[in-house]
Amino acid sequence: LRSWDVLPPVLEPDPSCEWEAGGLYKSWLLESEGVYFLFYNAKNHTDGSWVEQTGFATSRDLVHWESFQGNPVLRLGTNGAFDDRFASDPCVFRHKDKWVMFYFGLCSDGHAREGAAFSDDLRHWRKAGEVLIDIGPKGSIDSRHAHKPGIISQSGQLFHFYCAVAPAKDS
């Protein structure tokens, strides 16, 4: 773990692909039935605002990757939804007979919250439609943001961690 072979980037933003033209972020790698899935969020600027959505690419050898033509697979929510500006930072796991993607949404109200989406095939996702972890009350450690999921699976149980953010001084 001290010496690494450095290869060229496996994915780079495609300037002709509007949804990811501004950059790629936060990857999540998993293998299913001999295919590697690299989920990531990408940004662009829409109407002067920075937005992020989630897509993926696949590979059989971890070197050559192909972006999914149906990207982004996790799109922004409708205006006013908890994820109407960001649907980002995917963490994907198999749970029972479904795939679940934990992600955070940033709302136009300026707060980030955690959500989940479900899939049968890793390609088509359905949002749960509700906030999984909401911001806390004024004065709490997560009164501004509850976001950036970190999930660990152990013995079939999922442990969900997130970044809690509060203003420097709640007023």
Side-chain angles (χ1 to χ4, degrees), residues 17-23 25 42-53 76 85-86:
C17 183
E18 183 178 328
W19 84 277
E20 66 178 37
Y25 299 89
K43 76 172 184 176
N44 73 347
H45 290 82
T46 303
D47 300 328
S49 298
W50 174 10
V51 298
E52 291 185 12
Q53 300 178 90
L76 300 176
R85 290 203 45 230
F86 285 25

Side-chain angles (χ1 to χ4, degrees), residues 63-138:
V63 176
H64 303 95
W65 292 86
E66 184 176 332
S67 292
F68 181 58
Q69 293 302 308
N71 280 337
V73 294
L74 194 65
R75 296 175 181 269
L76 300 176
T78 58
N79 192 25
F82 82 96
D83 58 357
D84 68 358
R85 290 203 45 230
F86 285 25
S88 299
D89 288 27
C91 289
V92 182
F93 285 90
R94 184 81 175 168
H95 186 66
K96 299 183 181 176
D97 64 339
K98 297 274 186 223
W99 290 98
V100 60
M101 179 189 297
F102 299 95
Y103 72 100
F104 87 85
L106 179 66
C107 183
S108 53
D109 71 1
H111 295 287
R113 300 161 172 94
E114 298 267 322
F118 301 94
S119 176
D120 296 319
D121 62 4
L122 291 169
R123 290 162 178 79
H124 305 92
W125 292 87
R126 297 170 309 284
K127 293 181 183 178
E130 59 192 49
V131 173
L132 186 63
I133 299 177
D134 205 345
I135 58 172
K138 182 178 176 180

Side-chain angles (χ1 to χ4, degrees), residues 135 140-147 162-167:
I135 58 172
S140 66
I141 64 168
D142 56 3
S143 61
R144 177 171 287 167
H145 302 307
H147 70 331
Y162 67 96
C163 292
V165 179

Side-chain angles (χ1 to χ4, degrees), residues 10-11 13 15 28 38 43 53 59 62 65 92 98 103 111 129 153-155 164 170:
V10 296
L11 287 178
W28 183 266
L38 183 65
K43 76 172 184 176
Q53 300 178 90
S59 174
L62 294 172
W65 292 86
V92 182
K98 297 274 186 223
Y103 72 100
H111 295 287
S153 176
Q154 182 179 23
S155 303
D170 247 341

